[in-house]
C-alpha cells in the first residue's frame, strides 16, 4: 500500500472537515427534510470511513467523530 504524503493527508482532512462543517451548519432553507436526511447520512458515512483510515498523524479527529454521530 502506498503511503500518503503530508499534503495528501491535509487534503483528506480538509475534505472531511467540509463534511463536518456541512453537517454542523444544519439544514439549508428550502431543502426538504428527506434531502437533508440523505445529505447527513452520506456525509456521516464519509466521516466514518475517513476516521477509520490509518494514515492520520497529529490531526484532531474529534470533530470528525462527533459529526459522524459516534
Amino acid at each position: 500500500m502506498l503511503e500518503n504524503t503530508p499534503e495528501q493527508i491535509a487534503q483528506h482532512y480538509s475534505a472531511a472537515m467540509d463534511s463536518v462543517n456541512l453537517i454542523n451548519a444544519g439544514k439549508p432553507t428550502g431543502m426538504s427534510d428527506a434531502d437533508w436526511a440523505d445529505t447527513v447520512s452520506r456525509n456521516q458515512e464519509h466521516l466514518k470511513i475517513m476516521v477509520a483510515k490509518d494514515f492520520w498523524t497529529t490531526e484532531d479527529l474529534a470533530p470528525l467523530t462527533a459529526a459522524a454521530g459516534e
Side-chain angles (χ1 to χ4, degrees):
M1 177 186 264
L2 296 175
E3 299 238 354
N4 285 286
T5 66
E7 293 79 15
Q8 289 169 321
I9 293 170
Q11 288 174 339
H12 287 303
Y13 190 75
S14 177
M17 285 304 298
D18 287 345
S19 288
V20 169
N21 292 331
L22 183 140
I23 291 168
N24 289 342
K27 184 178 84 143
T29 303
M31 180 181 267
S32 72
D33 289 343
D35 285 345
W36 176 242
D38 182 56
T39 298
V40 170
S41 176
R42 283 185 285 111
N43 281 276
Q44 285 180 325
E45 190 59 34
H46 171 240
L47 291 171
K48 289 174 186 175
I49 291 166
M50 294 311 294
V51 167
K53 299 292 184 183
D54 64 359
F55 53 68
W56 300 117
T57 56
T58 61
E59 296 78 18
D60 180 7
L61 301 182
L64 282 63
T65 302
E70 295 189 339

